[in-house]
């Protein structure tokens, strides 16, 4: 996760282990349900995604396999690539589900600020043979289960065209997306269960984005540019960074990676197709008090870029696709004001991130804005503007063959050769005490402290009684980490952490994208880039640009350097495979680079295939029937709009609502709301904003016995034209009659008309 990433997990995990261990363990059999039957999801395969791009005519796993792109002789001779871009909605539930990232108990979704999207990019050689796919998804991280399901459906639809070696799935790492799409127990606990509803929504969104990109492929060119981004990030663990050798630190001007890499994609006429940007920053401008689903600062950057290029289209529509992907963000925060004691105002930028009064729970970093919405816009605007400048000035064309390499690796048993005579090994997964402390972006809440190098008898006793004692082997291997949770030795109801992980590289000419299954810290990323670049160069592929793409394919928490690991702050305590994790990754990725450079990818071992669990813990929040108050219907207006508003004011309308999670199950509508303007010339209402627009907010207020209200806000921007407007609400209610299956019914509500005037 990040920020304090699974920091809440600490609070939540420990609390849940203590308060619910008996239930979780003793009654596990009652919580099991087959993944294929979790929740009522009959319509999950037929989601209607809002996009102006046309999907392929054939859909679903039974569809005929598509052949590779074929080209006429003249097209085969063009200089460039076949390029396809696609975007699709992957929002999932916006209620009754935890948000993924902070793992804070009680931080469940209660509405939507912006939609989440899957953005896919396909690049193929001119003859249509070798190709690669990069997908950036507005979610916390890609889970192994999510990737395996997508690969299975791609194989069913396209045969061997899209495979484990040439498809990368990467999460942006927003901490404001839904959880519930994992299969390993630690993450299932943090999610408070597995939600098949959200899982299917995400899988279908990813698939749809790839299908659109596949259908829209055309000859084009790719240009690359790089530049420094100032004023958007700080290192949230500077005391860990200082553990790295001074001679190494002296080579860099900052303790964060400030360089942004931008790919510009155009067709042969020079018309814009899409953009991919990689930049190291935690999307934690929206803090752990937030309950609205959104893409945070990186999602806002995508929103701004796509609105700029798709003029006249609503968000989520239009042909241009802009992805702002994650990189080595492990120790990088977007809360640039830095850590301060929220009770006294003094700085708490110290080795333990702790305050004199209140301890670590009082030490919180904040963003540059007046509130988290403002901070998200400020940081997102900085990222967008720099990407726009680099995109506009990009002139270095990417040329050369397309290649890919992938292996599955048992990360718990990798022998790492430090030199010709000395070898070390990785460890079975374990989380240290400082994992429970969280970070300055979101503290743990149980008074654990960052930098803990000794355990606590109280928590050790609770762990030993509930879960058993960690073995001497794992304690020795993980030193100096004091083990809080020996997850690699826990297997009920399923393994708590993955053993089998993905390592993968795709290359497009002189660009190599390394797919990292977790969160590299700043220096970890620098070391990997340097090692992979040197490996390519040693076999004749010189001057390669190496990109760290984070949160890819499977989630394994953090990866610090060996030196940072000794400090045992949050990131080190969350480096689950032990002190030599980074060295193992460097060794593995060098092997992939060598295979690509020497054209020996076919000789690589596939490695042990990861599991796909078929029984998972169901969500703790049940499905219940929605009910409207007596004398009212779903969609009725409870609080009307005022007759008149001025630019800069907020329109607020309250409707009789129903649980929004029903709309993730039966998507009759592609938005929860619209703001519509009356056009005199045509005597019609024209949609000007939807729930993907930054100017709107949709809040769901849960009541008793199935009753609820929906509040829709429109923050009238300076650009709004004077005239007559209205707000519409679109929802779905769950109807349950005695001895009959539940049905999901759509409904609508419309406010009275109101006038917007200029000041």
């Amino acid at each position: 996760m990040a920020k304090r990433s699974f920091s809440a997990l600490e609070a939540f995990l420990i609390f849940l282990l203590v308060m619910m261990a008996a239930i979780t363990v003793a009654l596990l059999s009652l919580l099991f349900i087959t993944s294929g039957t979790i929740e009522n999801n009959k319509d999950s395969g037929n989601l209607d995604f809002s996009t102006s791009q046309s999907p392929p005519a054939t859909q679903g796993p039974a569809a005929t396999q598509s052949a590779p792109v074929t080209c006429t002789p003249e097209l085969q001779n063009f200089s460039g690539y076949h390029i396809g871009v696609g975007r699709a909605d992957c929002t999932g539930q916006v209620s009754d589900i935890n948000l993924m990232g902070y793992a804070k108990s009680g931080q469940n979704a209660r509405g939507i600020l912006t939609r989440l999207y899957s953005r896919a990019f396909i690049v193929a050689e001119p003859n249509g043979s070798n190709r690669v796919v990069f997908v950036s998804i507005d979610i916390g991280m890609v889970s192994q289960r999510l990737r395996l399901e997508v690969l299975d459906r791609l194989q069913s639809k396209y045969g061997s065209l899209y495979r484990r070696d040439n498809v990368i799935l990467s999460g942006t790492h927003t901490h404001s997306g839904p959880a519930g799409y994992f299969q390993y127990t630690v993450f299932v606990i943090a999610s408070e269960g597995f939600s098949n509803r959200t899982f299917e929504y995400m899988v279908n969104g990813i698939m749809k984005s790839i299908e659109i990109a596949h259908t829209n492929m055309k000859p084009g060119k790719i240009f690359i540019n790089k530049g420094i981004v100032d004023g958007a990030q700080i290192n949230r663990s500077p005391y860990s960074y200082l553990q790295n050798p001074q001679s190494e630190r002296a080579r860099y001007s900052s303790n964060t990676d400030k360089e942004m890499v931008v790919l510009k994609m155009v067709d042969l006429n020079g018309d814009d197709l899409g953009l991919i940007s990689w930049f190291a920053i935690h999307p934690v401008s929206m803090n752990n008090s937030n309950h609205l689903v959104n893409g945070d600062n990186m999602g806002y950057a995508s929103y701004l870029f796509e609105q700029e290029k798709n003029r006249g289209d609503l968000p989520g529509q239009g042909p241009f696709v802009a992805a702002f992907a994650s990189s080595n963000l492990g120790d990088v925060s977007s809360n640039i004001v830095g850590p301060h004691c929220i009770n006294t105002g003094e700085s708490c930028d110290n080795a333990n991130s702790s305050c004199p009064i209140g301890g670590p729970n009082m030490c919180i970093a904040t963003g540059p804005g007046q509130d988290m919405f403002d901070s998200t816009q400020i940081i997102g605007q900085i990222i967008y503007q720099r990407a726009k400048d680099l995109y506009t000035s990009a002139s270095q064309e990417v040329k050369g063959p397309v290649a890919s390499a992938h292996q599955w690796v048992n990360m718990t048993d990798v022998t790492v050769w430090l030199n010709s005579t000395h070898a070390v090994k990785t460890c079975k997964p374990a989380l240290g005490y400082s994992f429970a402390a969280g970070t300055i972006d979101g503290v743990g809440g149980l008074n654990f402290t960052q930098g803990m190098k000794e355990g606590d008898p109280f928590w050790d006793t609770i762990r030993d009684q509930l879960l058993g004692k960690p073995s001497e082997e794992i304690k020795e291997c993980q030193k100096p980490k004091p083990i809080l949770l020996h997850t690699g030795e826990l297997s009920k109801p399923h393994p708590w952490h993955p053993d089998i992980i993905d390592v993968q590289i795709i290359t497009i000419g002189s660009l190599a994208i390394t797919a990292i299954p977790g969160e590299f810290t700043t220096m970890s990323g620098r070391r990997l880039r340097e090692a992979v670049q040197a490996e390519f160069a040693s076999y004749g592929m010189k001057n390669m640009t190496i990109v760290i793409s984070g949160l890819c394919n499977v989630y394994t928490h953090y990866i610090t350097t060996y030196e940072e690991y000794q400090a045992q702050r949050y990131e080190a305590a969350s480096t689950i495979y032990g002190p030599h994790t980074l060295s193992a990754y460097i060794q593995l990725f060098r092997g992939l680079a060598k295979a690509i450079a020497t054209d020996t990818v076919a000789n690589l071992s596939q490695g042990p295939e990861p599991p796909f669990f078929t029984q998972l813990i169901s969500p703790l929040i049940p499905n219940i029937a929605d009910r409207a108050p007596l004398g009212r219907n779903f969609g009725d207006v409870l609080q009307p709009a005022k007759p008149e508003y001025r630019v800069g004011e907020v329109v607020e309308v309250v409707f009789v609502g129903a649980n929004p999670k029903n709309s993730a199950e039966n998507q009759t509508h592609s938005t929860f709301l619209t703001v519509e303007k009356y056009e005199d010339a045509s005597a019609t209402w024209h949609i000007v904003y939807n729930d993907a627009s930054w100017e709107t907010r949709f809040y769901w207020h849960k009541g008793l016995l199935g009753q609820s209200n929906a509040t829709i806000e429109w923050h009238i921007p300076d650009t709004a034209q004077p005239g007559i407007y209205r707000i519409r609400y679109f929802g779905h209610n769950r109807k349950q009659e005695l001895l009959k299956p539940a049905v999901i019914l759509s409904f609508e509500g419309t406010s009275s008309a109101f006038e917007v005037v200029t000041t």
Side-chain angles (χ1 to χ4, degrees):
M1 8 238 26
K3 46 297 86 304
R4 46 73 47 27
S5 193
F6 267 26
S7 118
L9 233 194
E10 27 102 336
F12 179 55
L13 242 187
I14 305 296
F15 177 81
L16 192 113
L17 288 174
V18 176
M19 305 303 294
M20 297 185 62
I23 298 175
T24 305
V25 177
L27 302 182
L28 263 177
S29 60
L30 298 180
L31 293 175
F32 279 161
I33 62 177
T34 304
S35 64
T37 61
I38 292 178
E39 303 180 346
N40 180 6
N41 200 50
K42 296 178 181 178
D43 301 296
S44 63
N46 299 303
L47 299 183
D48 174 33
F49 298 95
S50 174
T51 174
S52 64
Q53 299 166 314
S54 301
T58 56
Q59 300 180 17
T64 303
Q65 295 178 359
S66 300
V69 174
T70 56
C71 315
T72 59
E74 50 271 30
L75 283 183
Q76 291 185 27
N77 294 328
F78 76 89
S79 173
Y81 303 96
H82 282 285
I83 302 169
V85 301
R87 177 188 53 251
D89 181 358
C90 66
T91 305
Q93 287 178 230
V94 300
S95 65
D96 278 357
I97 195 167
N98 258 23
L99 297 180
M100 192 64 190
Y102 296 108
K104 178 183 177 182
S105 182
Q107 194 196 4
N108 54 318
R110 300 176 192 168
I112 185 170
L113 175 60
T114 59
R115 287 206 165 255
L116 307 180
Y117 292 100
S118 173
R119 296 175 171 90
F121 303 82
I122 302 177
V123 177
E125 292 176 349
N127 62 5
S129 56
N130 296 330
R131 64 181 56 203
V132 292
V133 183
F134 181 82
V135 187
S136 179
I137 314 158
D138 289 332
I139 56 178
M141 62 284 294
V142 175
S143 76
Q144 189 173 81
R145 198 173 203 277
L146 197 64
R147 173 170 164 84
L148 292 175
E149 182 66 22
V150 168
L151 290 177
D152 183 65
R153 296 192 190 186
L154 286 172
Q155 195 280 330
S156 296
K157 186 174 182 66
Y158 298 105
S160 61
L161 194 60
Y162 301 117
R163 312 170 303 273
R164 61 181 175 84
D165 66 291
N166 68 354
V167 176
I168 291 178
L169 304 183
S170 173
T172 62
H173 205 35
T174 175
H175 287 47
S176 297
Y181 55 96
F182 300 84
Q183 67 175 4
Y184 291 100
T185 301
V186 160
F187 310 126
V188 174
I189 291 175
S191 302
E192 299 184 3
F194 175 81
S195 170
N196 199 60
R197 179 190 289 112
T198 288
F199 178 77
E200 287 288 334
Y201 200 118
M202 289 180 175
V203 170
N204 285 328
I206 296 167
M207 283 294 298
K208 184 64 66 67
S209 68
I210 296 173
E211 291 165 3
I212 294 171
H214 176 86
T215 299
N216 292 341
M217 291 184 74
K218 63 178 64 176
K221 294 179 180 293
I222 300 176
F223 299 89
I224 190 170
N225 205 357
K226 307 171 190 175
I228 300 300
V229 182
D230 289 317
Q233 24 145 254
I234 61 170
N235 191 306
R236 70 183 188 191
S237 280
Y239 290 87
S240 293
Y241 182 87
L242 288 173
Q243 303 307 305
N244 296 304
Q246 194 281 330
S247 57
E248 182 179 34
R249 290 184 280 114
R251 296 165 51 200
Y252 304 98
S253 60
S254 172
N255 60 5
T256 62
D257 272 342
K258 294 180 176 293
E259 185 175 74
M260 173 184 286
V261 177
V262 167
L263 290 188
K264 175 180 181 177
M265 301 179 182
V266 299
D267 65 19
L268 294 184
N269 295 321
D271 294 329
D272 296 319
L273 295 176
L275 160 146
I276 308 176
S277 164
W278 287 275
F279 179 60
I281 190 170
H282 252 99
V284 289
S285 294
M286 301 295 291
N287 60 44
N288 63 11
S289 69
N290 170 57
H291 292 277
L292 297 181
V293 168
N294 69 88
D296 210 285
N297 46 51
M298 296 290 262
Y300 186 65
S302 287
Y303 170 83
L304 292 176
F305 214 114
E306 290 178 347
Q307 287 293 97
E308 168 73 20
K309 293 296 184 179
N310 297 319
R311 297 254 180 186
D313 287 308
L314 290 169
Q317 300 180 10
F320 187 89
V321 179
F324 285 77
S326 58
S327 191
N328 53 320
L329 47 65
D331 54 357
V332 185
S333 174
S334 52
N335 290 311
I336 59 175
V337 174
H340 290 82
C341 300
I342 58 176
N343 52 352
T344 66
E346 61 188 303
S347 173
C348 50
D349 187 11
N350 52 59
N352 302 113
S353 298
S354 186
C355 294
I357 302 174
N361 291 337
M362 292 293 108
C363 185
I364 305 291
T366 56
Q370 296 179 348
D371 56 31
M372 59 184 170
F373 298 94
D374 191 27
S375 292
T376 299
Q377 288 185 283
I378 292 172
I379 299 298
Q381 176 73 35
I382 291 172
I383 296 169
Y384 153 74
Q385 188 60 56
R386 192 65 179 112
K388 181 180 177 181
D389 294 342
L390 293 172
Y391 184 91
T392 302
S393 61
S395 59
Q396 180 184 341
E397 186 174 358
V398 178
K399 298 180 179 180
V402 170
S404 59
H406 171 278
Q407 284 183 305
W408 282 310
V409 177
N410 183 346
M411 199 61 186
T412 72
D413 190 28
V414 177
T415 298
V416 183
W417 288 95
L418 301 181
N419 52 49
S420 59
T421 60
H422 187 55
V424 293
K425 295 191 70 173
T426 53
C427 312
K428 291 181 179 179
L431 291 165
Y433 264 76
S434 295
F435 159 79
T439 76
I440 59 173
D441 291 325
V443 296
L446 289 177
N447 218 35
F448 287 84
T449 302
Q450 294 202 62
M452 293 180 69
K453 297 181 181 179
E454 294 183 1
D456 181 278
F458 173 75
W459 291 111
D460 283 350
T461 299
I462 291 177
R463 177 203 61 211
D464 295 347
Q465 292 298 315
L466 293 175
L467 304 171
K469 296 182 179 181
S471 68
E472 291 302 317
E473 175 191 1
I474 197 171
K475 288 194 291 185
E476 184 66 27
C477 188
Q478 291 276 352
K479 282 184 177 179
K481 177 193 293 179
I483 294 176
L484 178 63
L485 293 170
H486 49 305
T487 54
E489 297 178 331
L490 303 175
S491 59
K492 300 296 183 181
H494 295 296
W496 283 45
H497 269 143
D499 289 345
I500 312 303
I501 60 94
D502 299 66
V503 290
Q504 182 182 15
I505 296 178
I506 62 175
T507 59
I508 306 170
S510 59
L511 172 70
I513 303 171
T514 59
I516 306 302
E519 305 177 51
F520 269 36
T521 60
T522 298
M523 195 63 84
S524 291
R526 289 168 174 169
R527 290 185 188 178
L528 181 77
R529 279 197 299 264
E530 189 173 71
V532 172
Q533 186 180 56
E535 192 73 16
F536 275 119
S538 67
Y539 292 96
M541 295 180 65
K542 299 185 182 301
N543 301 316
M544 293 288 288
T545 295
I546 314 299
V547 165
I548 300 287
S549 188
L551 292 305
C552 293
N553 300 336
V554 55
Y555 186 63
T556 64
H557 296 264
Y558 286 76
I559 301 93
T560 65
T561 67
Y562 177 84
E563 294 84 356
E564 291 165 350
Y565 189 89
Q566 308 309 305
Q568 278 302 298
R569 280 177 59 86
Y570 172 78
E571 294 81 12
S574 304
T575 298
I576 61 175
Y577 299 113
H580 304 292
T581 301
L582 175 60
S583 296
Y585 276 122
I586 289 175
Q587 178 175 286
L588 292 165
F589 278 97
R590 287 180 61 187
L592 297 182
K594 177 181 178 180
I596 291 175
T598 59
D599 195 23
T600 57
V601 172
N603 298 334
L604 285 174
S605 167
Q606 172 179 296
E609 190 167 347
F612 186 92
F613 303 128
T614 58
Q615 290 185 319
L616 296 167
I617 298 173
S618 64
L620 301 180
I621 302 176
N623 296 317
I624 63 174
D626 295 288
R627 292 180 175 84
L630 279 177
R632 294 283 192 173
N633 297 312
F634 294 108
D636 283 356
V637 175
L638 296 175
Q639 176 185 309
K642 296 187 299 184
E644 183 180 286
Y645 295 88
R646 295 184 180 277
V647 167
E649 294 183 331
V650 179
V651 182
E652 180 179 283
V653 183
V654 181
F655 297 87
V656 175
N659 198 321
K661 73 179 178 183
N662 301 326
S663 298
E665 203 168 307
N666 181 3
Q667 265 217 328
T668 307
H669 309 297
S670 58
T671 181
F672 287 107
L673 66 91
T674 56
V675 177
E676 302 175 0
K677 184 177 185 295
Y678 187 75
E679 301 293 347
D680 290 324
S682 59
T684 58
W685 292 94
H686 176 67
I687 299 173
V688 289
Y689 300 99
N690 59 17
D691 67 4
S693 302
W694 182 263
E695 295 81 0
T696 63
R697 299 175 191 176
F698 174 80
Y699 295 92
W700 180 62
H701 309 282
K702 190 174 188 177
L704 298 175
L705 302 176
Q707 293 189 12
S708 63
N709 294 340
T711 299
I712 295 175
E713 291 182 356
W714 176 35
H715 294 242
I716 306 174
D718 295 340
T719 55
Q721 297 297 309
I724 304 301
Y725 291 82
R726 69 180 184 184
I727 289 176
R728 299 182 70 195
Y729 165 40
F730 304 92
H732 295 84
N733 65 286
R734 178 181 294 273
K735 183 178 181 181
Q736 179 74 67
E737 296 183 358
L738 189 63
L739 302 179
K740 292 184 179 180
V743 293
I744 306 297
L745 305 173
S746 64
F747 65 86
E748 302 178 12
T750 305
S751 76
S752 56
F754 55 89
E755 185 176 8
V756 172
V757 298
T758 57
T759 55

